[in-house]
Amino acid sequence: MKYFLFFSTIATCLALTNNANACTGITLQSRDGATIVARTMDWSRVENTNLYTIVPRGHNQQSLLPDGTMNGLSFTALYGYAGLAVEQPEFIIDGTNEAGLSAALFYFPNYGKYQEYNEANKDISLADFQVVSWILSRFSTIDQVKAAINDIRIINVDPTASTVHWRITEPSGRQVVLEIVDGKPNFYENEVGVLTNAPGFPWQMTNLNNYVNLHPGGAGPTKFGPIELRSFGSGSGFLGLPGDFTPPSRFVRAAFLKTYSLEQPTAMDTIQQSFHILNNFDVPLGVQFAVGTAPNNMPSATQWTVATDLQNMVIYYHTMYNRTIRSIDMKSIDFTSVPFQYHALDEAKRQTIIPVKID
């Protein structure tokens, strides 16, 4: 396979300006203890080849290197896994392994910096777009990932491309964010369960303090000199919630919407809730560009949305072409015998429409 050709497409996308990607991630828990990780995958400048990939135990892959060869870190899957990928089946953006560990990649422009590639270290060099596959192949807990991260060197295959960062989640709900800054990996416990893009995660958490005045429900009435001020309707406690599509604004909006949405009784209820929350982050194509400069006419800049039930091991997704929710039941997969495989997210790029039967 011509991996370098495919990767060049991705690298070109990552090298574009900040408005090329606007992924938003949330994590919810149901009343009966299920953890649901969900996110959008937004890419407005190109239409990617979007795939789902099934990887068996024992599958071996090797990392891409800057010279375009597959001669980097080699790793064999101790755990089978499934996930959604772009361009190449090994380039998993969001996935879960059979131990219930979830990992996902998010764009992280301008603030991250990997170690420089050194050919002498090619055997331990791992392309950033293959980190999710490495995590899902090898580990069942966050602590195992933390213990192993210094044994590898995460690299950028194309020096002009941006960096990414990662969300890693256990079935218990524990979640960390991994960011590499000045060549050093940093893990941050993510108790709020939200991730977008830049700046770094600690800054995003600090920025939440700017919205200490926000609260669910209504505001007022307020005595204002000789008159009384009243809200025009419900939800006025969220006046000032940012509505633009910049990463800091999406982080704040996601944090408040997920925190104050009603806890649902079951995993399936929470899956549906996560899709409803993430509907607030669908990016209409064109709003990220000056008038008349949108590079294409896709249905949306939000190419797909995925939500995974880490308790029952089911991945759910819909796409910009078809909002019908589809599912991958990992418990039905025998990862000892299933062949490595990948398939397009959409069999046909059109919305499923069911006519209403009129008697």
Side-chain angles (χ1 to χ4, degrees), residues 333-352:
I333 301 171
D334 183 352
F335 285 102
T336 63
S337 61
V338 68
F340 175 82
Q341 58 190 276
Y342 55 93
H343 309 273
L345 293 189
D346 292 300
E347 292 182 8
K349 293 181 177 180
R350 60 177 180 270
Q351 176 65 47
T352 298

PDB file of all heavy atoms in Angstrom, residues 333-352:
ATOM      1  N   ILE A 333     -17.827  -9.605  18.331  1.00  0.00           N
ATOM      2  CA  ILE A 333     -16.630  -9.844  17.522  1.00  0.00           C
ATOM      3  C   ILE A 333     -15.675 -10.770  18.267  1.00  0.00           C
ATOM      4  O   ILE A 333     -15.331 -10.512  19.422  1.00  0.00           O
ATOM      5  CB  ILE A 333     -15.911  -8.520  17.199  1.00  0.00           C
ATOM      6  CG1 ILE A 333     -16.847  -7.571  16.438  1.00  0.00           C
ATOM      7  CG2 ILE A 333     -14.645  -8.778  16.394  1.00  0.00           C
ATOM      8  CD1 ILE A 333     -16.279  -6.167  16.269  1.00  0.00           C
ATOM      9  N   ASP A 334     -15.271 -11.833  17.634  1.00  0.00           N
ATOM     10  CA  ASP A 334     -14.241 -12.713  18.185  1.00  0.00           C
ATOM     11  C   ASP A 334     -12.889 -12.182  17.719  1.00  0.00           C
ATOM     12  O   ASP A 334     -12.463 -12.432  16.586  1.00  0.00           O
ATOM     13  CB  ASP A 334     -14.455 -14.149  17.717  1.00  0.00           C
ATOM     14  CG  ASP A 334     -13.446 -15.123  18.321  1.00  0.00           C
ATOM     15  OD1 ASP A 334     -12.484 -14.667  18.990  1.00  0.00           O
ATOM     16  OD2 ASP A 334     -13.604 -16.344  18.122  1.00  0.00           O
ATOM     17  N   PHE A 335     -12.199 -11.452  18.580  1.00  0.00           N
ATOM     18  CA  PHE A 335     -10.960 -10.804  18.179  1.00  0.00           C
ATOM     19  C   PHE A 335      -9.799 -11.776  18.030  1.00  0.00           C
ATOM     20  O   PHE A 335      -8.714 -11.377  17.587  1.00  0.00           O
ATOM     21  CB  PHE A 335     -10.604  -9.694  19.176  1.00  0.00           C
ATOM     22  CG  PHE A 335     -11.454  -8.460  19.030  1.00  0.00           C
ATOM     23  CD1 PHE A 335     -12.494  -8.208  19.912  1.00  0.00           C
ATOM     24  CD2 PHE A 335     -11.224  -7.572  17.999  1.00  0.00           C
ATOM     25  CE1 PHE A 335     -13.280  -7.072  19.771  1.00  0.00           C
ATOM     26  CE2 PHE A 335     -12.007  -6.435  17.842  1.00  0.00           C
ATOM     27  CZ  PHE A 335     -13.034  -6.178  18.732  1.00  0.00           C
ATOM     28  N   THR A 336     -10.006 -13.047  18.385  1.00  0.00           N
ATOM     29  CA  THR A 336      -8.954 -14.041  18.146  1.00  0.00           C
ATOM     30  C   THR A 336      -8.979 -14.550  16.711  1.00  0.00           C
ATOM     31  O   THR A 336      -7.971 -15.082  16.225  1.00  0.00           O
ATOM     32  CB  THR A 336      -9.105 -15.241  19.100  1.00  0.00           C
ATOM     33  OG1 THR A 336     -10.355 -15.908  18.834  1.00  0.00           O
ATOM     34  CG2 THR A 336      -9.057 -14.789  20.546  1.00  0.00           C
ATOM     35  N   SER A 337     -10.108 -14.400  16.023  1.00  0.00           N
ATOM     36  CA  SER A 337     -10.220 -14.992  14.686  1.00  0.00           C
ATOM     37  C   SER A 337     -10.694 -14.024  13.605  1.00  0.00           C
ATOM     38  O   SER A 337     -10.543 -14.314  12.419  1.00  0.00           O
ATOM     39  CB  SER A 337     -11.194 -16.186  14.730  1.00  0.00           C
ATOM     40  OG  SER A 337     -12.494 -15.766  15.145  1.00  0.00           O
ATOM     41  N   VAL A 338     -11.261 -12.896  13.996  1.00  0.00           N
ATOM     42  CA  VAL A 338     -11.754 -11.965  12.981  1.00  0.00           C
ATOM     43  C   VAL A 338     -10.587 -11.437  12.148  1.00  0.00           C
ATOM     44  O   VAL A 338      -9.507 -11.166  12.678  1.00  0.00           O
ATOM     45  CB  VAL A 338     -12.519 -10.790  13.654  1.00  0.00           C
ATOM     46  CG1 VAL A 338     -11.571  -9.897  14.457  1.00  0.00           C
ATOM     47  CG2 VAL A 338     -13.282  -9.985  12.628  1.00  0.00           C
ATOM     48  N   PRO A 339     -10.733 -11.345  10.842  1.00  0.00           N
ATOM     49  CA  PRO A 339      -9.636 -10.800  10.033  1.00  0.00           C
ATOM     50  C   PRO A 339      -9.552  -9.279  10.169  1.00  0.00           C
ATOM     51  O   PRO A 339     -10.553  -8.613  10.456  1.00  0.00           O
ATOM     52  CB  PRO A 339     -10.018 -11.195   8.605  1.00  0.00           C
ATOM     53  CG  PRO A 339     -11.512 -11.318   8.629  1.00  0.00           C
ATOM     54  CD  PRO A 339     -11.866 -11.816  10.009  1.00  0.00           C
ATOM     55  N   PHE A 340      -8.352  -8.749   9.976  1.00  0.00           N
ATOM     56  CA  PHE A 340      -8.202  -7.301   9.892  1.00  0.00           C
ATOM     57  C   PHE A 340      -9.045  -6.805   8.726  1.00  0.00           C
ATOM     58  O   PHE A 340      -8.968  -7.335   7.616  1.00  0.00           O
ATOM     59  CB  PHE A 340      -6.736  -6.941   9.681  1.00  0.00           C
ATOM     60  CG  PHE A 340      -6.500  -5.468   9.452  1.00  0.00           C
ATOM     61  CD1 PHE A 340      -6.420  -4.593  10.523  1.00  0.00           C
ATOM     62  CD2 PHE A 340      -6.380  -4.962   8.162  1.00  0.00           C
ATOM     63  CE1 PHE A 340      -6.206  -3.239  10.331  1.00  0.00           C
ATOM     64  CE2 PHE A 340      -6.157  -3.603   7.955  1.00  0.00           C
ATOM     65  CZ  PHE A 340      -6.088  -2.746   9.041  1.00  0.00           C
ATOM     66  N   GLN A 341      -9.857  -5.758   8.974  1.00  0.00           N
ATOM     67  CA  GLN A 341     -10.745  -5.291   7.915  1.00  0.00           C
ATOM     68  C   GLN A 341     -11.121  -3.834   8.139  1.00  0.00           C
ATOM     69  O   GLN A 341     -11.040  -3.315   9.256  1.00  0.00           O
ATOM     70  CB  GLN A 341     -12.014  -6.138   7.862  1.00  0.00           C
ATOM     71  CG  GLN A 341     -12.805  -6.155   9.156  1.00  0.00           C
ATOM     72  CD  GLN A 341     -13.907  -7.194   9.136  1.00  0.00           C
ATOM     73  OE1 GLN A 341     -14.997  -6.936   8.621  1.00  0.00           O
ATOM     74  NE2 GLN A 341     -13.608  -8.374   9.678  1.00  0.00           N
ATOM     75  N   TYR A 342     -11.552  -3.201   7.062  1.00  0.00           N
ATOM     76  CA  TYR A 342     -12.014  -1.827   7.144  1.00  0.00           C
ATOM     77  C   TYR A 342     -13.078  -1.590   6.080  1.00  0.00           C
ATOM     78  O   TYR A 342     -13.083  -2.236   5.032  1.00  0.00           O
ATOM     79  CB  TYR A 342     -10.855  -0.840   6.993  1.00  0.00           C
ATOM     80  CG  TYR A 342     -10.022  -1.020   5.749  1.00  0.00           C
ATOM     81  CD1 TYR A 342     -10.299  -0.299   4.585  1.00  0.00           C
ATOM     82  CD2 TYR A 342      -8.949  -1.907   5.726  1.00  0.00           C
ATOM     83  CE1 TYR A 342      -9.539  -0.461   3.442  1.00  0.00           C
ATOM     84  CE2 TYR A 342      -8.177  -2.064   4.584  1.00  0.00           C
ATOM     85  CZ  TYR A 342      -8.474  -1.334   3.448  1.00  0.00           C
ATOM     86  OH  TYR A 342      -7.722  -1.510   2.313  1.00  0.00           O
ATOM     87  N   HIS A 343     -13.984  -0.674   6.395  1.00  0.00           N
ATOM     88  CA  HIS A 343     -15.125  -0.404   5.532  1.00  0.00           C
ATOM     89  C   HIS A 343     -15.465   1.076   5.577  1.00  0.00           C
ATOM     90  O   HIS A 343     -15.210   1.756   6.580  1.00  0.00           O
ATOM     91  CB  HIS A 343     -16.352  -1.212   5.984  1.00  0.00           C
ATOM     92  CG  HIS A 343     -16.079  -2.672   6.163  1.00  0.00           C
ATOM     93  ND1 HIS A 343     -16.169  -3.587   5.135  1.00  0.00           N
ATOM     94  CD2 HIS A 343     -15.691  -3.386   7.268  1.00  0.00           C
ATOM     95  CE1 HIS A 343     -15.860  -4.789   5.589  1.00  0.00           C
ATOM     96  NE2 HIS A 343     -15.565  -4.706   6.874  1.00  0.00           N
ATOM     97  N   ALA A 344     -16.069   1.573   4.520  1.00  0.00           N
ATOM     98  CA  ALA A 344     -16.511   2.963   4.493  1.00  0.00           C
ATOM     99  C   ALA A 344     -17.615   3.173   5.521  1.00  0.00           C
ATOM    100  O   ALA A 344     -18.461   2.286   5.745  1.00  0.00           O
ATOM    101  CB  ALA A 344     -17.015   3.327   3.096  1.00  0.00           C
ATOM    102  N   LEU A 345     -17.613   4.349   6.166  1.00  0.00           N
ATOM    103  CA  LEU A 345     -18.677   4.644   7.129  1.00  0.00           C
ATOM    104  C   LEU A 345     -20.039   4.702   6.459  1.00  0.00           C
ATOM    105  O   LEU A 345     -21.055   4.348   7.070  1.00  0.00           O
ATOM    106  CB  LEU A 345     -18.400   5.983   7.821  1.00  0.00           C
ATOM    107  CG  LEU A 345     -17.180   6.067   8.740  1.00  0.00           C
ATOM    108  CD1 LEU A 345     -17.191   7.395   9.495  1.00  0.00           C
ATOM    109  CD2 LEU A 345     -17.136   4.911   9.725  1.00  0.00           C
ATOM    110  N   ASP A 346     -20.073   5.161   5.226  1.00  0.00           N
ATOM    111  CA  ASP A 346     -21.335   5.237   4.474  1.00  0.00           C
ATOM    112  C   ASP A 346     -21.283   4.291   3.291  1.00  0.00           C
ATOM    113  O   ASP A 346     -20.397   4.404   2.434  1.00  0.00           O
ATOM    114  CB  ASP A 346     -21.567   6.661   3.950  1.00  0.00           C
ATOM    115  CG  ASP A 346     -21.846   7.657   5.051  1.00  0.00           C
ATOM    116  OD1 ASP A 346     -22.841   7.468   5.773  1.00  0.00           O
ATOM    117  OD2 ASP A 346     -21.071   8.632   5.173  1.00  0.00           O
ATOM    118  N   GLU A 347     -22.226   3.358   3.233  1.00  0.00           N
ATOM    119  CA  GLU A 347     -22.323   2.513   2.047  1.00  0.00           C
ATOM    120  C   GLU A 347     -22.745   3.348   0.843  1.00  0.00           C
ATOM    121  O   GLU A 347     -22.305   3.120  -0.278  1.00  0.00           O
ATOM    122  CB  GLU A 347     -23.321   1.374   2.287  1.00  0.00           C
ATOM    123  CG  GLU A 347     -22.846   0.354   3.312  1.00  0.00           C
ATOM    124  CD  GLU A 347     -23.828  -0.789   3.482  1.00  0.00           C
ATOM    125  OE1 GLU A 347     -24.809  -0.859   2.694  1.00  0.00           O
ATOM    126  OE2 GLU A 347     -23.627  -1.618   4.394  1.00  0.00           O
ATOM    127  N   ALA A 348     -23.646   4.283   1.101  1.00  0.00           N
ATOM    128  CA  ALA A 348     -24.072   5.238   0.074  1.00  0.00           C
ATOM    129  C   ALA A 348     -24.136   6.608   0.730  1.00  0.00           C
ATOM    130  O   ALA A 348     -24.593   6.736   1.868  1.00  0.00           O
ATOM    131  CB  ALA A 348     -25.438   4.856  -0.492  1.00  0.00           C
ATOM    132  N   LYS A 349     -23.680   7.622   0.028  1.00  0.00           N
ATOM    133  CA  LYS A 349     -23.620   8.958   0.612  1.00  0.00           C
ATOM    134  C   LYS A 349     -24.956   9.683   0.416  1.00  0.00           C
ATOM    135  O   LYS A 349     -25.081  10.642  -0.352  1.00  0.00           O
ATOM    136  CB  LYS A 349     -22.464   9.741   0.001  1.00  0.00           C
ATOM    137  CG  LYS A 349     -21.107   9.163   0.379  1.00  0.00           C
ATOM    138  CD  LYS A 349     -19.959   9.963  -0.226  1.00  0.00           C
ATOM    139  CE  LYS A 349     -18.616   9.406   0.234  1.00  0.00           C
ATOM    140  NZ  LYS A 349     -17.480  10.167  -0.334  1.00  0.00           N
ATOM    141  N   ARG A 350     -25.950   9.198   1.149  1.00  0.00           N
ATOM    142  CA  ARG A 350     -27.260   9.831   1.114  1.00  0.00           C
ATOM    143  C   ARG A 350     -27.992   9.491   2.399  1.00  0.00           C
ATOM    144  O   ARG A 350     -27.757   8.449   3.018  1.00  0.00           O
ATOM    145  CB  ARG A 350     -28.065   9.390  -0.101  1.00  0.00           C
ATOM    146  CG  ARG A 350     -28.339   7.892  -0.184  1.00  0.00           C
ATOM    147  CD  ARG A 350     -29.205   7.543  -1.387  1.00  0.00           C
ATOM    148  NE  ARG A 350     -29.470   6.117  -1.475  1.00  0.00           N
ATOM    149  CZ  ARG A 350     -28.713   5.253  -2.135  1.00  0.00           C
ATOM    150  NH1 ARG A 350     -27.649   5.678  -2.783  1.00  0.00           N
ATOM    151  NH2 ARG A 350     -29.024   3.960  -2.163  1.00  0.00           N
ATOM    152  N   GLN A 351     -28.881  10.357   2.793  1.00  0.00           N
ATOM    153  CA  GLN A 351     -29.639  10.204   4.014  1.00  0.00           C
ATOM    154  C   GLN A 351     -30.682   9.096   3.871  1.00  0.00           C
ATOM    155  O   GLN A 351     -31.388   9.030   2.860  1.00  0.00           O
ATOM    156  CB  GLN A 351     -30.345  11.515   4.370  1.00  0.00           C
ATOM    157  CG  GLN A 351     -31.248  11.442   5.581  1.00  0.00           C
ATOM    158  CD  GLN A 351     -30.478  11.156   6.863  1.00  0.00           C
ATOM    159  OE1 GLN A 351     -29.463  11.775   7.139  1.00  0.00           O
ATOM    160  NE2 GLN A 351     -30.970  10.209   7.648  1.00  0.00           N
ATOM    161  N   THR A 352     -30.775   8.230   4.886  1.00  0.00           N
ATOM    162  CA  THR A 352     -31.853   7.255   4.930  1.00  0.00           C
ATOM    163  C   THR A 352     -33.158   7.968   5.274  1.00  0.00           C
ATOM    164  O   THR A 352     -33.257   8.641   6.289  1.00  0.00           O
ATOM    165  CB  THR A 352     -31.582   6.170   5.986  1.00  0.00           C
ATOM    166  OG1 THR A 352     -30.374   5.473   5.627  1.00  0.00           O
ATOM    167  CG2 THR A 352     -32.726   5.185   6.076  1.00  0.00           C
TER     168      THR A 352
END
